[in-house]
Amino acid sequence: MQAPVFPSRQINIKKTGAVEGKISTDAIQKAIDRIARQGGGTITVPKGHWLTGRLILKSNTNLCIEEGAVLEFSGHIKDYLPVVATRNEGADIMSLGAMIYAYNEENIAVTGNGTLLAPDYDCEISKKQNGGVTLDMEQKLKTDKLSDGSNGRVFMPTFIGPVKCSNILIEGVTLKRSIFWNIVPVYSKNIIIRNITVSSHGHGRTDGIDIDSSQDVLIENSTLDCGDDCFTLKSGRGEEAVDLGIPTENVVIRNCHIKRGTGGITIGSETAGMVRNIYAENIIMDNPVHAIYIKTRRPRGGGGENIWIKNITVNKSRSAAINIDMLGSERFVGELGRRMPEREVNKLTPCFRNIFINDFEINSCKTLLKAKGLPESPIENLIIKGIKSNCKTISMHDTGKFEISFNE
């Protein structure tokens, strides 16, 4: 993979009117637009504390947050209007989008050794959030995709969220105090994310990196401390996303560190377009709830296949170290969360197959493996080798071919 290369021209946001301590969205956006019109280059956010609303990257632009710079984002709905095309928990909507957004652009980057700072968690956006996409909400969004706050509610903006973009680089930056998912490329391709730090532990729904219906991705040398899942692979939810059929595929995750989070390496639970050809290696995890968390639900569709995970070292898992769950909970999917009766297979029936886990070492966990398939769609070809663990407790149902071996 090749990172995007930018022309040598640069512009400092102070040149277009940005002032420390004053909201400077227009000035920063002016710098981005000017560089883009000139053929591309780097927009520099210098040392200091800068305030902004939503920023929209354009083709051939690199937003560089220099060391010592803090770019803090507004928590007011008005600073993310008008609404833009985006995706929230697998559902396509028109809403606030992302704090750093791009649509149908190419050769874009967010780089530097500075800090991106989300608004306080009790900001207006958080107070008026819709919450998660329930089954009822999913049905409503088929006909009413607009969420601009006019009804008093909005969907949360992600932190960095390019949509339908290609040749993306996110490198060096630290993301702090997120109010929702952090880095979320959607319908995008050729993505490199490296040497970044996410610090969002303490608040739920603050995933680290979500790759959503995107292809050809390299994630490396990064550290995540999250309030929800960490490295997460998704591809939409429900009938609309199944019909669209855009997978997340060809993803490498390597040489990374997970401090805390719900799932360390996570697939799902939005899997409608399929998640496949995933390779993760050389990951150190301190204290996740689940080190490996592979999940979907009966009405989600799609599923996952061809997943290789190797050389994983875990200090402590607070629940099942390896958790593969296709049922979910009645709380979220109603009676579909009940194992029986066996349902008729249809296009919304998910599947998981060809999952290979090698060289997995864990110091402490309550359960080593939980695997819950569906009676109508068992987990197929789950091969786990080279496990080193004092705990050997395994709980399984509705699985096909399965192998496990231990290193003493």
Side-chain angles (χ1 to χ4, degrees):
M1 296 185 66
Q2 298 293 321
V5 177
F6 302 94
S8 59
R9 68 176 62 88
Q10 297 187 23
I11 186 170
N12 190 303
I13 62 170
K14 292 192 289 186
K15 295 291 186 181
T16 51
V19 177
E20 277 195 77
K22 179 181 177 181
I23 191 136
S24 298
T25 312
D26 291 344
I28 302 172
Q29 190 64 53
K30 184 178 179 181
I32 294 170
D33 296 344
R34 180 180 295 179
I35 281 284
R37 286 194 304 269
Q38 293 173 350
T42 298
I43 303 93
T44 301
V45 179
K47 183 178 179 180
H49 197 119
W50 310 90
L51 306 178
T52 186
R54 181 179 64 206
L55 301 174
I56 301 178
L57 295 181
K58 304 296 177 65
S59 292
N60 304 309
T61 60
N62 171 21
L63 181 65
C64 179
I65 318 300
E66 291 191 336
E67 187 170 1
V70 176
L71 186 60
E72 180 176 355
F73 288 82
S74 165
H76 297 289
I77 293 172
K78 66 179 179 63
D79 293 320
Y80 298 87
L81 297 176
V83 295
V84 293
T86 186
R87 194 180 235 189
N88 189 283
E89 294 187 351
D92 292 326
I93 57 173
M94 296 292 295
S95 191
L96 305 186
M99 299 177 192
I100 300 177
Y101 178 79
Y103 184 84
N104 201 25
E105 306 288 350
E106 61 181 5
N107 301 325
I108 58 174
V110 179
T111 65
N113 294 316
T115 298
L116 302 172
L117 184 64
D120 287 328
Y121 200 80
D122 62 352
C123 66
E124 179 192 22
I125 294 172
S126 295
K127 290 177 179 178
K128 295 185 176 181
Q129 64 176 290
N130 265 307
V133 178
T134 62
L135 277 176
D136 289 342
M137 178 66 73
E138 184 180 320
Q139 295 302 312
K140 180 182 177 183
L141 289 173
K142 289 182 178 180
T143 56
D144 182 10
K145 295 184 178 296
L146 178 65
S147 179
D148 61 359
S150 58
N151 67 350
R153 294 290 166 186
V154 293
F155 287 102
M156 301 278 269
T158 60
F159 216 145
I160 302 175
V163 179
K164 295 186 177 180
C165 294
S166 62
N167 302 333
I168 299 165
L169 173 65
I170 303 172
E171 181 175 33
V173 291
T174 295
L175 290 77
K176 287 187 175 181
R177 201 174 68 187
S178 177
I179 58 174
F180 189 48
W181 298 357
N182 281 272
I183 299 174
V184 192
V186 177
Y187 302 139
S188 295
K189 60 184 179 180
N190 299 329
I191 302 160
I192 296 175
I193 303 170
R194 62 190 180 200
N195 301 318
I196 65 103
T197 301
V198 171
S199 180
S200 64
H201 187 266
H203 292 290
R205 304 179 72 208
T206 54
D207 290 9
I209 299 172
D210 293 75
I211 307 301
D212 196 345
S213 289
S214 296
Q215 302 84 43
D216 304 331
V217 182
L218 172 63
I219 304 170
E220 62 182 356
N221 304 323
S222 294
T223 299
L224 305 185
D225 189 13
C226 301
D228 208 325
D229 295 328
C230 296
F231 297 105
T232 310
L233 308 166
K234 301 176 177 287
S235 61
R237 63 192 289 157
E239 187 171 2
E240 186 176 62
V242 168
D243 291 342
L244 196 60
I246 301 178
T248 281
E249 61 184 358
N250 308 334
V251 179
V252 171
I253 305 167
R254 65 188 183 192
N255 306 328
C256 291
H257 179 199
I258 291 167
K259 292 184 176 180
R260 293 168 291 188
T262 301
I265 299 169
T266 301
I267 294 172
S269 59
E270 299 85 19
T271 58
M274 291 296 292
V275 176
R276 60 190 179 215
N277 306 341
I278 309 301
Y279 185 87
E281 69 169 350
N282 301 335
I283 313 293
I284 294 174
M285 306 187 192
D286 295 343
N287 191 18
V289 177
H290 310 289
I292 299 171
Y293 195 11
I294 300 174
K295 52 183 174 174
T296 189
R297 307 291 179 254
R298 270 192 173 108
R300 296 288 166 90
E305 63 183 1
N306 307 336
I307 298 155
W308 287 267
I309 302 173
K310 65 177 291 185
N311 196 18
I312 307 298
T313 303
V314 185
N315 179 42
K316 180 179 181 181
S317 172
R318 286 173 275 157
S319 186
I322 302 170
N323 190 15
I324 305 174
D325 181 7
M326 299 181 71
L327 266 179
S329 165
E330 291 184 45
R331 173 186 172 193
F332 297 108
V333 295
E335 59 89 18
L336 292 176
R338 301 171 191 166
R339 177 175 177 266
M340 300 299 289
E342 182 176 334
R343 272 64 171 183
E344 181 180 353
V345 174
N346 58 39
K347 70 177 184 180
L348 295 181
T349 303
C351 64
F352 280 137
R353 55 183 174 246
N354 303 335
I355 301 169
F356 308 95
I357 302 171
N358 294 331
D359 302 324
F360 182 93
E361 180 176 348
I362 181 163
N363 183 50
S364 173
C365 62
K366 293 183 177 180
T367 302
L368 177 62
L369 168 66
K370 282 187 178 180
K372 296 189 294 183
L374 302 174
E376 67 272 20
S377 182
I379 300 164
E380 290 289 350
N381 203 26
L382 172 61
I383 311 298
I384 304 174
K385 295 183 177 181
I387 304 299
K388 186 175 182 181
S389 172
N390 292 326
C391 175
K392 294 179 173 60
T393 303
I394 294 173
S395 171
M396 305 177 69
H397 65 68
D398 300 314
T399 59
K401 180 182 178 182
F402 167 69
E403 296 179 16
I404 189 167
S405 65
F406 291 87
N407 287 342
E408 297 301 331

